[in-house]
Amino acid sequence: MIAPTPTATPASPRTVRKAVVPAAGLGTRFLPATKATPKEMLPVVDKPAIQYVVEEAAAAGLDDILMVTGRHKRAIEDHFDHAFELEQALAAKGDTVRLDAVRDPARLADIHHIRQGDPLGLGHAVLCARHHVGDQPFAVLLGDDLIDPRETLLSRMLEVRERHEGSVVALMEVDPEQSHLYGCAAVEPTGEDGVVRVSGLVEKPAPGTAPSRYAVIGRYVLDPAVFDVLERTPPGRGGEIQLTDALQDLAAGGTVHGVVFGGLRYDTGDKADYLRTVVRLACDRPDLGPEFRRWLREFVAGLEEGAAGDGERYRAA
């Protein structure tokens, strides 16, 4: 007797299973490296930055991921696909370590791709996901914003969404001098440690006008109601449709919470932070860390000795 095929249990309206990864930006801060290579594909040690983001989503239980890309981003699609010739060559050599590394990206989740078309801003990129997401809540993870793999920020945000519904944003305390670089939130306490209610949002406020020291970083868990708001959101700062402006509309209705994050975050879209990211993650690797940290100590010591030597030469001159 053939057993009946089990039917899939439909997702609860509260359950988050899908993630959207906007990756259509031009990467102008990294030109000329990003002229032909997507900024999300720049290597962080030996994996492209965007793979860390997908691994984070998968670790939090999000098994359906939509990447919103643009022209000249085909490398992202190829990276998360199978490379049969390469896999066969590695298998023939018996190189199982590299074979697993090559296969891993395609095995992380059910990954889909859509093109944004026109670069009309983050809000528009999220709106491009409407058909795929449907009427379910979903996460948004920015492709060049890395959270250290040891942190559990996204899982915490999903828990907050489960309790409060609505939308949840990740917040990080920044120096007031840096507020103009971020979307900043006006917040109210909830009585829950590390969780606040967001009462307002401002995209990149002018210096001295930020509503608080809390800045929105590249992790969101959004209610599908955001799509209707984005549909009617006019272009804002920079002539783009800003996700912050849509969330401001939802925050006015009391349906946005924030999770305050004090852990390790890396902005791989910034040159200096990109270099710090590579160094930090390389130091943490058990296969690379001991030797690399030894070299790094010697290198820094040499820099200090060189600086002292330069000073002596200038004084002698």
Side-chain angles (χ1 to χ4, degrees):
M1 181 176 179
I2 300 175
T5 302
T7 56
T9 302
S12 161
R14 298 167 63 96
T15 302
V16 183
R17 300 296 298 274
K18 295 183 178 183
V20 175
V21 180
L26 298 176
T28 53
R29 287 186 289 178
F30 266 89
L31 288 172
T34 50
K35 178 182 178 182
T37 302
K39 65 175 181 176
E40 298 84 3
M41 290 299 295
L42 294 177
V44 177
V45 189
D46 56 1
K47 292 188 294 190
I50 198 168
Q51 184 171 333
Y52 290 88
V53 176
V54 174
E55 289 173 347
E56 178 189 353
L62 306 180
D63 54 10
D64 185 324
I65 298 175
L66 176 69
M67 295 192 180
V68 183
T69 64
R71 294 182 61 213
H72 310 305
K73 299 276 183 162
R74 180 63 184 270
I76 296 176
E77 298 181 29
D78 290 343
H79 182 72
F80 290 98
D81 197 359
H82 289 285
F84 296 106
E85 296 85 354
L86 178 57
E87 291 175 20
Q88 288 175 352
L90 293 171
K93 293 179 180 179
D95 193 342
T96 57
V97 174
R98 289 187 175 87
L99 179 59
D100 283 340
V102 167
R103 286 175 171 170
D104 280 346
R107 299 188 294 202
L108 288 170
D110 187 8
I111 298 176
H112 310 266
H113 304 269
I114 189 174
R115 286 194 175 183
Q116 184 177 5
D118 296 323
L120 299 178
L122 176 58
H124 180 262
V126 171
L127 189 56
C128 289
R130 182 169 199 166
H131 179 72
H132 182 83
V133 169
D135 59 357
Q136 294 291 313
F138 63 104
V140 173
L141 298 86
L142 300 193
D144 56 4
D145 209 339
L146 272 58
I147 303 298
D148 191 279
R150 293 164 293 191
E151 305 287 355
T152 57
L153 170 62
L154 186 56
S155 294
R156 179 79 191 283
M157 294 174 69
L158 294 172
E159 292 171 3
V160 172
R161 155 71 200 189
E162 191 76 15
R163 289 198 305 275
H164 298 286
E165 298 191 343
S167 296
V168 183
V169 299
L171 300 175
M172 178 182 69
E173 195 168 358
V174 299
D175 291 333
E177 296 79 13
Q178 300 294 313
S179 296
H180 68 283
L181 301 174
Y182 299 88
C184 291
V187 302
E188 302 170 354
T190 63
E192 183 178 352
D193 187 37
V195 179
V196 295
R197 181 174 292 104
V198 177
S199 58
L201 289 155
V202 181
E203 178 65 19
K204 296 182 179 177
T209 66
S212 76
R213 296 177 62 140
Y214 291 112
V216 180
I217 57 176
R219 296 295 180 272
Y220 310 80
V221 179
L222 301 178
D223 189 87
V226 74
F227 290 127
D228 286 338
V229 180
L230 284 169
E231 288 277 12
R232 62 175 186 267
T233 299
R237 189 176 181 89
E240 298 180 338
I241 298 173
Q242 299 290 347
L243 180 59
T244 304
D245 294 341
L247 289 172
Q248 159 65 19
D249 191 298
L250 295 175
T255 61
V256 179
H257 285 78
V259 171
V260 179
F261 179 64
L264 295 173
R265 165 192 175 256
Y266 314 108
D267 178 7
T268 58
D270 175 80
K271 291 179 184 178
D273 212 14
Y274 171 80
L275 295 173
R276 285 190 286 265
T277 302
V278 173
V279 170
R280 183 185 291 273
L281 293 182
C283 285
D284 288 342
R285 286 268 296 263
D287 58 333
L288 297 173
E291 180 182 350
F292 185 63
R293 288 194 298 269
R294 189 181 311 114
W295 174 84
L296 196 58
R297 284 192 291 268
E298 295 172 355
F299 178 71
V300 172
L303 287 178
E304 293 172 349
E305 292 172 3
D310 287 344
E312 289 298 327
R313 286 196 296 272
Y314 287 130
R315 282 192 288 274

